[in-house]
Amino acid sequence: MKRQQQIADVLSQSDIDTPPAYRLLDVVTELGDIAATVNETTGYGTDSAALSVREEELGDALFALLALCVQLDIDADAALTSALTKYEGQSGASETSESDG
């Protein structure tokens, strides 16, 4: 994944490199920020039509996750391909027709 290599380059050229355990905390923090925004913009779920998440927030979470992949030496593209295969295999698996029951 081209972006993963860019992130690896940024990490190696900056002072933001950190151990994987701390990088995981970054991922969780970024996702927490997104969750807080969702809660705030939807009135804690009372108005789902008002949902608003800034692209920058999602970008921060993606950066943190890809940085974790870099530090764990995991190919993000391969991991995503595996996940897609898993989820594509599940599509329709939980659906049953009326004649099945």
Side-chain angles (χ1 to χ4, degrees):
M1 179 177 280
K2 181 181 176 184
R3 294 292 186 194
Q4 185 173 352
Q5 184 56 54
Q6 286 179 296
I7 289 170
D9 293 343
V10 167
L11 293 177
S12 71
Q13 298 169 4
S14 69
D15 290 332
I16 61 172
D17 197 14
T18 187
Y22 293 127
R23 185 62 64 200
L24 177 60
L25 292 175
D26 288 343
V27 172
V28 173
T29 298
E30 296 299 342
L31 292 175
D33 290 345
I34 292 169
T37 299
V38 168
N39 279 336
E40 291 168 8
T41 61
T42 63
Y44 292 86
T46 60
D47 184 8
S48 61
L51 176 69
S52 176
V53 177
R54 291 185 357 253
E55 182 179 300
E56 180 181 342
E57 290 177 316
L58 292 172
D60 289 345
L62 286 169
F63 180 94
L65 186 58
L66 288 171
L68 179 61
C69 288
V70 167
Q71 293 187 309
L72 296 176
D73 198 27
I74 293 173
D75 182 327
D77 192 50
L80 183 56
T81 297
S82 294
L84 283 170
T85 300
K86 178 178 67 175
Y87 287 107
E88 287 170 345
Q90 291 178 2
S91 67
S94 63
E95 297 175 14
T96 58
S97 67
E98 292 182 12
S99 63
D100 290 342

